[in-house]
Amino acid sequence: MNFGLVMFPTDYAIGPAELGRAAEEHGFESLWFPEHTHIPASRRTPWPGGADLPQDYWHTLDPFLALGAAAAVTSRLRLGFGVCLVIERDPITTAKEVASLDHLSGGRVLFGVGGGWNLEEMANHGTDPAARWKLLRERVEAMKAIWTQDDAEYHGQLVDFDALWSWPKPVQKPHPPVIIGGNGPRSLERVVSYGDGWMPIVGRGAADLGDRISELRRLAEAAGRDPGIPVTLWGARPEPEAIERALEWGVERAIFVLPAAGREEVLPRVERFAELARKYGSG
């Protein structure tokens, strides 16, 4: 099993470059950063994680810049989006950014994507919350076309463009893995339809993860896909029993959560998590 770290890279936390260097030095396979462009002050949409939304959500840095900083001081560490809110981004521009990061890092991007939960946030970007899953699919499909075709075009109901040229192409072929985040009832269908992996959030409606992973394998096989679609656990519990259970399920990657805090608080946790990761075979 591979092990990674995830943290909201905020303006008051340890810098992404220092964290990236520490993650690689301690043998972690990947470092993941979430995305929120902003949080509407109305706070009407309830946070799925609990009652009070942590301030990390509206202090987080842009993930492309944060991952770029980590990429510049590392050589092996994989660079994960946990997740990129594609429904709030132009797909042509985002395809360029993903390909550029993959090019500059030597092919280390793990492109986690999701449909988001904050309805006001996505509405501020002009996205109809009711149509966000259809929009996510079309934007992902459009980006895959840009990454893999010299004369790329896409014609959907919500995303539509004629043939265009866009370089660089990603180092990874055919493109960086698109990992679908989310625990919703239709998440597995989305993974099988247009994803290269699944990333559920542990503890957020995922008590039956073992059963759902088995269901994912059945759905993939029924669709004519390899049933071994990789599963990444976002927010894995750093406990031997939890890791052993994930190994039994065939999970590819466990990601431990770090607090958005200074180096004095974060680096000791990196060391503790690394001890557990070494026990179960990181990398």
Side-chain angles (χ1 to χ4, degrees):
M1 182 186 289
N2 292 315
F3 290 88
L5 300 169
V6 61
M7 186 192 79
F8 276 82
T10 67
D11 52 357
Y12 52 79
I14 183 174
E18 184 177 7
L19 179 57
R21 190 182 296 111
E24 183 166 276
E25 289 174 352
H26 284 83
F28 286 97
E29 176 249 7
S30 52
L31 176 63
W32 302 70
F33 291 147
E35 175 175 44
H36 281 280
T37 59
H38 68 291
I39 293 296
S42 68
R43 291 295 300 111
R44 288 195 298 271
T45 302
W47 176 45
D52 298 320
L53 183 70
Q55 67 174 355
D56 309 351
Y57 280 74
W58 62 93
H59 280 264
T60 190
L61 308 180
D62 179 272
F64 284 91
L65 295 177
L67 288 170
V73 297
T74 57
S75 60
R76 301 180 308 278
L77 187 71
R78 303 209 68 180
L79 312 165
F81 291 82
V83 296
C84 179
L85 295 177
V86 174
I87 62 163
E88 298 178 359
R89 288 180 161 271
D90 176 87
I92 299 174
T93 301
T94 305
K96 168 79 78 173
E97 292 174 328
V98 172
S100 296
L101 182 59
D102 202 59
H103 171 77
L104 293 171
S105 68
R108 291 189 275 150
V109 171
L110 297 168
F111 193 48
V113 303
W117 57 269
N118 192 307
L119 305 186
E120 296 81 58
E121 177 184 354
M122 59 189 79
N124 285 349
H125 286 278
T127 294
D128 176 4
R132 71 185 185 277
W133 295 111
K134 182 178 182 62
L135 181 64
L136 176 64
R137 175 175 181 157
E138 290 196 6
R139 287 185 176 174
V140 167
E141 291 174 344
M143 288 189 292
K144 287 183 177 182
I146 294 171
W147 293 331
T148 59
Q149 300 171 18
D150 289 352
D151 296 288
E153 60 182 283
Y154 184 84
H155 303 287
Q157 295 182 9
L158 302 176
V159 179
D160 184 41
F161 53 82
D162 291 327
L164 56 80
W165 300 332
S166 179
W167 268 262
K169 300 301 183 184
V171 172
Q172 298 180 80
K173 302 302 178 190
H175 51 71
V178 176
I179 304 172
I180 310 295
N183 301 6
R186 298 193 62 188
S187 294
L188 303 185
E189 296 175 30
R190 297 181 184 112
V191 173
V192 172
S193 178
Y194 60 92
D196 304 304
W198 181 39
M199 183 163 55
I201 300 176
V202 175
R204 194 175 292 182
D208 58 346
L209 264 178
D211 291 339
R212 297 211 72 195
I213 291 172
S214 296
E215 182 184 357
L216 174 62
R217 312 238 187 273
R218 290 193 299 271
L219 290 172
E221 191 168 18
R225 291 193 55 176
D226 182 343
I229 293 177
V231 175
T232 295
L233 298 185
W234 196 109
R237 296 211 320 268
E239 302 166 359
E241 315 83 67
I243 300 304
E244 290 168 6
R245 187 160 53 249
L247 283 168
E248 292 174 1
W249 294 336
V251 168
E252 180 194 52
R253 179 183 297 110
I255 306 174
F256 301 135
V257 177
L258 294 168
R263 63 190 313 274
E264 298 80 7
E265 183 176 350
V266 170
L267 293 181
R269 295 199 189 200
V270 172
E271 294 179 6
R272 291 199 301 272
F273 293 161
E275 292 177 7
L276 184 62
R278 282 191 292 270
K279 179 179 179 182
Y280 291 98
S282 178

